[in-house]
Amino acid sequence: MGNPNKTLDALLVISYQTGDKKALALLFKRWNKKICVQAYRYNNDWESAKDVTQETWRTVITKIHSLRDANRFGSWVMTIASRKALDDIKREKKVFREFNEEYWVDKTIGLNTVDTRDQQIRLALNAITELPVDQRIVLKLFYLEEYSLKEISAITNVSISTVKTRLFRAREKMKLILKK
């Protein structure tokens, strides 16, 4: 049997498509925070993330009736959020940093022990910040978010072979950085 969360989302989508306005409110409750966090990961700014989230919901409301496979709502909405976040970055001409140093410093607080594993974690987290943006995105989506190559391709709007190449290059660059 399928994922119960996916099934619930699909039922809510179908209910909304057939006229039940309350279904959208439930989808909003279930997905709003996830969308906002996804947007934040792209631009590292909560205010921008909130704006992207609002824009994402505008798009969802206008295009949800054209969503043919209600079971794909989750990846569909996250793709919209990711693209809106990237559009926001381009529009604002920001320096795009998927994981800024503050994020990694917060994650490594308390890792000041001599423990080798903790040192390795700290080095790996710092190395990720040195990767180009496109490689950081793919690395994060693949390892942290556990998306498939096909899903990453849809989210980033590049071919699967490009995703594979970026993932390979990110791994290779991480090795070089960590050897230093």
Side-chain angles (χ1 to χ4, degrees), residues 30-54 56-57 73-89 96-99 103 136-142 144-148 151-157:
R30 291 177 51 78
W31 283 94
N32 195 57
K33 185 176 180 181
K34 293 175 191 175
I35 293 169
C36 195
V37 169
Q38 178 78 354
Y40 176 78
R41 287 183 181 131
Y42 280 88
N43 56 29
N44 297 313
D45 177 25
W46 285 113
E47 291 305 314
S48 293
K50 289 175 186 175
D51 292 342
V52 167
T53 302
Q54 187 174 10
T56 299
W57 281 111
F73 178 78
S75 60
W76 179 70
V77 75
M78 292 307 260
T79 299
I80 293 170
S82 296
R83 289 181 182 165
K84 294 284 183 191
L86 290 172
D87 289 346
D88 183 60
I89 290 165
F96 186 75
R97 287 175 277 154
E98 178 74 25
F99 296 104
Y103 176 83
R136 277 186 272 171
I137 292 170
V138 171
L139 201 64
K140 187 238 356 156
L141 291 172
F142 189 76
L144 299 178
E145 300 293 325
E146 298 178 352
Y147 282 106
S148 69
E151 291 170 324
I152 295 170
S153 173
I155 290 169
T156 58
N157 201 25

Side-chain angles (χ1 to χ4, degrees), residues 158-173:
V158 296
S159 69
I160 293 176
S161 60
T162 301
V163 171
K164 289 178 183 178
T165 301
R166 289 178 181 175
L167 192 56
F168 173 79
R169 288 181 180 160
R171 290 178 188 138
E172 292 300 308
K173 188 153 186 177

Side-chain angles (χ1 to χ4, degrees), residues 1-10 71:
M1 183 170 237
N3 181 340
N5 289 328
K6 263 186 155 179
T7 304
L8 177 58
D9 291 336
N71 289 314

Side-chain angles (χ1 to χ4, degrees), residues 90-136:
K90 289 175 189 173
R91 198 171 33 249
E92 298 293 327
K93 296 181 181 179
K94 293 179 180 178
V95 176
F96 186 75
R97 287 175 277 154
E98 178 74 25
F99 296 104
N100 65 19
E101 291 179 22
E102 284 182 82
Y103 176 83
W104 295 113
V105 169
D106 289 346
K107 289 290 184 189
T108 57
I109 289 176
L111 297 180
N112 295 328
T113 63
V114 184
D115 185 23
T116 305
R117 178 153 166 67
D118 289 346
Q119 288 175 347
Q120 290 173 340
I121 291 170
R122 188 178 327 130
L123 288 172
L125 293 175
N126 288 332
I128 290 172
T129 62
E130 295 182 34
L131 294 175
V133 173
D134 58 347
Q135 292 175 8
R136 277 186 272 171

